[in-house]
């Protein structure tokens, strides 16, 4: 998952990530915030991540088990395509899943999350918990908001316990 996160981060800053950088700029998410939250970009390419992971000696079965690749009949392809990527971390800060926000308006799902995997159980993970845990303890409260960008906006507004 860490290899995938680094790949998405790199892609965001590449020429292919220009549209996604524009989307993030429109949402007032600076480059510093993008780096702090490790935002990334999944290119509109059915095999970009799969090929990158294969180059790093990640086995196809591991890619599928991690929820990064979908195994279809006779072919596999990247789950996330043409999306701004939000890495989801466990309480220790390790990337365990992703949420992807579509850049195209004509896709069936605006947001696509990783499926349940051995690392990721949707009902047991809160986005940004690793960063919010200490401030939430100090404040005696947690602020729950709906979306990834909402969490980041709360953090930027001085409410790090979101």
């Amino acid at each position: 998952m860490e290899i995938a996160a680094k790949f998405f981060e790199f892609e965001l800053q590449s020429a292919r990530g220009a549209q996604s950088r524009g989307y993030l700029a429109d949402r007032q998410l600076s480059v510093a915030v993008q780096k702090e939250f490790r935002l990334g970009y999944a290119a509109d390419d059915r095999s970009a991540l799969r090929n990158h992971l294969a180059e790093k000696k990640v086995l196809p079965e591991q890619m599928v088990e991690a929820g990064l690749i979908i195994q279809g009949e006779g072919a596999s392809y990247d789950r996330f395509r043409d999306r701004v990527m939000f890495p989801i971390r466990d309480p220790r800060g390790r990337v365990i899943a992703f949420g992807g926000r579509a850049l195209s308006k004509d896709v069936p799902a605006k947001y696509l999350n990783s499926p349940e995997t051995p690392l990721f159980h949707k009902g047991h993970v809160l986005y940004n918990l690793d960063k919010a845990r200490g401030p939430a303890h100090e404040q005696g409260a947690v602020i729950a908001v709906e979306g990834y960008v909402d969490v980041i906006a709360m953090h930027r507004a001085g409410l790090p316990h979101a």
Side-chain angles (χ1 to χ4, degrees):
M1 297 305 279
E2 183 61 26
I3 294 169
K6 286 180 179 176
F7 178 73
F8 292 142
E9 288 175 280
F10 175 82
E11 288 288 293
L12 178 62
Q13 300 308 318
S14 75
R16 292 205 291 192
Q19 182 184 3
S20 55
R21 288 192 309 275
Y23 166 80
L24 293 170
D26 289 347
R27 301 293 305 260
Q28 282 109 36
L29 299 178
S30 68
V31 172
V33 169
Q34 293 169 32
K35 289 180 190 255
E36 179 180 1
F37 285 87
R38 300 193 63 196
L39 304 186
Y41 173 64
D44 191 10
D45 183 324
R46 294 176 56 92
S47 59
L49 179 61
R50 183 188 66 201
N51 292 342
H52 179 76
L53 294 173
E55 288 173 9
K56 299 292 185 182
K57 309 295 186 222
V58 178
L59 300 174
E61 307 83 54
Q62 293 171 313
M63 297 178 207
V64 171
E65 184 177 36
L68 298 170
I69 305 299
I70 296 173
Q71 182 64 51
E73 280 191 41
S76 61
Y77 54 93
D78 293 3
R79 176 177 303 278
F80 300 102
R81 296 180 307 280
D82 197 28
R83 292 178 182 271
V84 172
M85 300 300 293
F86 297 85
I88 299 169
R89 300 171 308 271
D90 70 8
R92 291 171 50 191
R94 299 173 299 188
V95 177
I96 57 171
F98 293 94
R101 204 277 190 200
L103 291 172
S104 174
K105 295 187 188 318
D106 61 345
V107 295
K110 183 163 98 172
Y111 280 94
L112 178 64
N113 294 315
S114 290
E116 295 274 330
T117 69
L119 291 176
F120 178 60
H121 306 285
K122 291 180 190 181
H124 300 161
V125 178
L126 293 173
Y127 180 71
N128 199 48
L129 177 61
D130 61 314
K131 290 180 179 283
R133 176 184 250 166
H137 180 72
E138 291 168 12
Q139 294 288 327
V142 171
I143 299 173
V145 295
E146 185 177 0
Y148 305 117
V149 175
D150 299 330
V151 169
I152 295 169
M154 297 295 278
H155 181 85
R156 288 181 52 233
L159 301 166
H161 51 299

